[in-house]
């Protein structure tokens, strides 16, 4: 039993160390991500499990020998670190920076006005169940590509009315090769639907069967479908925003920055594929410039062999063309860029650089929110941090829609979202 206590205690300590100081080396990035992802975003559940494991093994004599005593000490330190993670997560508020200037209000008021259901925070699987007041239509076909039927799910307010509501497209991540519409974006889609939005969680072709830019073309097919069918689900065909995480964040940014590009709309070049705003989460924005890694993302085997299926050294321009940072434009729609400071898969420096470059180019608002202590894919779980972020995104998008309804030609950062600070420097 003493060796069991030793193993549990050391594991708890290692999880805490990784959560607070994640590894950025290429060899450890993926295991560091998964360990940190669970330890940070499910910290309350982890603390209960650690306390139960350490308490039971100690009670049954695990601390009688030196391995058990070492494990007990390590476990207590690990539990303290997990508790600190919980405290930091509960204090999470959202950094909202536009034109380089932080904008703040009292964070205590933000927490008190939270309307995210506590049950979803305590039992994360509940996020898979639509919230009360939300109606879901599943597996609606929006396009056929050969024999493949591309489908979507619709999240809409349960109450019906004659007034058309704003729409949002959610794009799942998964490194362009895995993922599904039922797995990601659910806390945000449910929250938006409760507040009067109609969300469309969209599937698209995946690599290696699909070759870039097939993924982007599919999403533009959805926009064409949306303009024809949005009203059937109570959405406004003239108002669509886009969001997504990781590879979905990359695709959301590409959708927003390539409106009207004929090469991405073969056969439907005349369709207006512009969107009103983009909210990419922990996205990949630059396939060419190295970040913390010794080689850029485009030079990885994933991108060369499975996604673009081109040589990075022989056709670098193709990777520039596939990077959102290569499509910056003055008429870009408003952006709300969200990233975690502890992201081990897409280093936060890339998001900061993209936000800064976009601000220097775009005439629209560019808001950057950096979640201190947040890992990659933090919003998959309906954690305290996720609750704060989805509330801020809803205020941002609702403010833009209000300006649209009032006929404002050039959007500004809505006052309702100037919440508080929880991030690092931009630049």
């Amino acid at each position: 039993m003493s060796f069991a206590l030793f193993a549990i205690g050391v594991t708890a300590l290692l999880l805490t160390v990784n959560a607070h100081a994640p590894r950025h080396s290429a060899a450890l990035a993926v295991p560091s991500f998964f360990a940190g992802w669970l330890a940070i975003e499910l910290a309350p559940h982890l603390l209960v499990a650690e306390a139960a494991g350490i308490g039971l093994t100690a009670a049954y004599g695990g601390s009688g020998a030196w391995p058990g005593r070492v494990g007990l000490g390590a476990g207590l330190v690990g539990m303290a670190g997990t508790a600190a993670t919980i405290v930091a997560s509960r204090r999470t508020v959202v950094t909202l920076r536009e034109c380089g200037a932080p904008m703040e209000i009292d964070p205590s008021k933000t927490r008190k006005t939270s309307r995210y259901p506590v049950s979803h925070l305590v039992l994360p699987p509940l996020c898979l169940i639509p919230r009360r007041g939300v109606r879901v239509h599943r597996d609606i076909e929006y396009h056929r590509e050969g024999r493949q039927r591309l489908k979507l799910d619709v999240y809409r307010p349960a109450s019906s009315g004659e007034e058309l509501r704003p729409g949002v497209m959610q794009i799942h991540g998964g490194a362009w090769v895995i993922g599904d519409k039922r797995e990601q974006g659910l806390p945000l889609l449910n929250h938006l639907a409760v507040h009067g939005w109609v969300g469309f969680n969209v599937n698209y072709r995946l690599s290696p069967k699909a070759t870039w830019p097939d993924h982007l073309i599919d999403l533009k097919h959805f926009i064409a479908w949306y303009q024809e069918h949005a009203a059937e689900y109570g959405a406004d065909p003239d108002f669509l925003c886009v969001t997504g995480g990781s590879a979905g964040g990359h695709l959301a940014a590409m959708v927003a920055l390539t409106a009207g590009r004929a090469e991405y709309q073969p056969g439907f070049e005349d369709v207006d594929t512009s969107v009103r705003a983009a909210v990419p989460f922990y996205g990949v924005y630059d396939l060419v410039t190295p970040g913390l890694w010794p080689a850029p993302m485009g030079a990885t085997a994933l991108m060369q062999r499975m996604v673009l299926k081109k040589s990075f050294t022989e056709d670098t321009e193709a990777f520039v063309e596939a990077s959102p940072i290569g499509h910056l434009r003055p008429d870009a729609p408003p952006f709300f860029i969200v990233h975690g400071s502890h992201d081990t898969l897409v280093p936060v420096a890339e998001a900061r650089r993209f936000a800064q470059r976009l601000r220097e180019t775009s005439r629209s608002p560019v808001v950057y929110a950096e979640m201190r202590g947040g890992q990659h894919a933090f919003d998959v779980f309906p954690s305290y941090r996720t609750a704060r972020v989805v509330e801020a995104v809803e205020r941002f998008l609702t403010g833009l829609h209000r300006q649209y309804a009032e006929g404002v030609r050039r959007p500004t950062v809505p006052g309702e979202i100037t919440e508080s600070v929880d991030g690092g420097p931009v630049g």
Side-chain angles (χ1 to χ4, degrees), residues 142-143 145 217-226 266 268:
Y142 74 89
H143 181 65
E145 193 63 43
I217 292 172
D218 291 345
L219 298 170
K220 288 179 177 284
H221 272 296
F222 162 75
I223 298 177
W225 177 93
Y226 177 86
F268 58 111

Side-chain angles (χ1 to χ4, degrees), residues 154-401:
V154 180
Y155 290 71
R156 60 185 295 194
S159 59
S160 59
E162 296 183 0
E163 184 179 358
L164 295 178
R165 304 174 184 272
V168 61
M169 168 172 52
Q170 153 66 26
I171 307 171
H172 70 78
W176 303 272
V177 298
I178 60 174
D180 183 79
K181 57 185 172 59
R182 297 198 182 203
E183 300 167 354
Q184 299 173 33
L186 305 186
L188 177 60
L189 290 175
N190 276 291
H191 187 77
L192 286 174
V194 167
H195 289 82
W197 285 71
V198 181
F200 297 82
N201 211 348
V202 182
N203 273 348
Y204 53 92
R205 285 176 289 170
L206 299 172
S207 296
K209 184 176 180 180
T211 302
W212 179 265
D214 291 347
H215 323 69
L216 180 58
I217 292 172
D218 291 345
L219 298 170
K220 288 179 177 284
H221 272 296
F222 162 75
I223 298 177
W225 177 93
Y226 177 86
Q227 293 173 2
E228 294 184 9
H229 300 278
E232 299 171 18
Y233 300 93
D236 184 351
D238 294 327
F239 195 94
L240 177 67
C241 301
V242 62
T243 185
S246 194
H250 163 268
L251 289 167
M254 286 295 293
V255 165
L257 295 170
T258 61
R261 292 284 296 271
E263 64 269 36
Y264 300 133
Q265 300 176 208
F268 58 111
E269 295 86 354
D270 295 335
V271 174
D272 179 6
T273 55
S274 61
V275 293
R276 299 286 179 169
V279 185
F281 285 68
Y282 40 86
V284 177
Y285 305 110
D286 191 344
L287 299 175
V288 178
T289 305
L292 294 179
W293 313 119
M297 174 72 78
T300 61
L302 168 70
M303 301 306 298
Q304 294 188 84
R305 299 176 185 175
M306 300 182 70
V307 182
L308 270 75
K309 301 175 185 174
K310 295 181 178 180
S311 168
F312 181 79
T313 56
E314 296 176 4
D315 195 358
T316 306
E317 188 58 35
F319 293 82
V320 174
E321 183 68 18
S323 302
I325 204 166
H327 295 274
L328 304 182
R329 46 198 284 183
D331 61 344
F335 265 74
F336 186 172
I337 302 162
V338 182
H339 218 92
S341 66
H342 283 33
D343 194 319
T344 53
L345 296 185
V346 183
V348 68
E350 182 169 331
R352 294 174 181 171
R353 183 170 62 246
F354 176 72
Q356 186 63 41
R357 291 278 303 278
L358 184 58
R359 283 182 183 139
E360 294 169 354
T361 306
S362 176
R363 294 190 296 266
S364 297
V366 178
V367 177
Y368 175 69
E370 185 173 305
M371 300 296 100
R372 184 181 296 120
Q375 249 290 1
H376 195 79
F378 66 85
D379 64 318
V380 171
F381 299 120
S383 63
Y384 294 109
R385 179 176 289 108
T386 298
R388 301 293 83 76
V389 173
V390 300
E391 289 167 355
V393 170
E394 181 268 320
R395 290 185 177 94
F396 174 78
L397 293 178
T398 297
L400 293 177
H401 181 254

